Amino acid sequence: MQSHRDDPFAYADRVADLTRPEAGDSPTVWTSRLPALLHQYADHIPSAECDFVGVAPGDHPCWEDAQGRVVIDVLTTLTMTELAPGESEHQVHVTSRSGRHQFGDRFFGVRHIVLDAPYEGSWCPADGDPEPLFLCDLNDAAVRGGFA
């Protein structure tokens, strides 16, 4: 597969074709989508000003910006959210609670990223209500710090 930097629109179409759940998909067919899903996550990785902290409680990727604020990513797929309704929201809640405990005032929030359905994702700030990831005000407070 060519780099997503060569033609972003064609790349997005290929990823959508590879990751779209279809009737009759088996787990073995789904696992063949993993490389495409990992590329999709790469599109959500924060900017170069952020440092990968490691793995937060629950084995979730964790990032720190230049101001020391920490964001934790909860990753899922549309298939998994459809198979286990409410599980992703529960993981976000547990991760947020763990993030507050582990990082204290440095904890900025949780990004819930649905890899094969980006518009299903949400931003759950440490203080405040969850909102759609792509419509949130994360950029005003966080883009300057590196989260996008």
Side-chain angles (χ1 to χ4, degrees), residues 28-72:
T28 54
V29 172
W30 184 87
T31 57
S32 69
R33 296 183 178 136
L34 184 59
L37 294 177
L38 292 175
H39 279 284
Q40 187 75 3
Y41 179 55
D43 290 340
H44 293 277
I45 290 177
S47 74
E49 290 81 30
C50 293
D51 292 321
F52 179 68
V53 176
V55 179
D59 296 330
H60 301 295
C62 185
W63 303 90
E64 182 176 7
D65 72 2
Q67 286 77 37
R69 297 176 299 196
V70 175
V71 168
I72 301 172

Side-chain angles (χ1 to χ4, degrees), residues 60 74-78 80-97 110-114 120-122 124 130-131:
H60 301 295
V74 171
L75 307 174
T76 189
T77 66
L78 186 59
M80 295 310 294
T81 58
E82 289 175 347
L83 290 175
E87 177 61 27
S88 296
E89 290 79 9
H90 175 71
Q91 280 197 11
V92 168
H93 176 72
V94 169
T95 302
S96 184
R97 189 174 49 202
V110 174
R111 296 187 308 167
H112 173 222
I113 300 172
V114 182
E120 296 290 325
S122 59
C124 305
E131 52 188 303

Side-chain angles (χ1 to χ4, degrees), residues 108 123 133-148:
F108 197 50
W123 163 244
L133 183 61
F134 288 101
L135 299 177
C136 73
D137 196 21
L138 180 61
N139 21 349
D140 185 38
V143 164
R144 287 190 307 264
F147 296 109

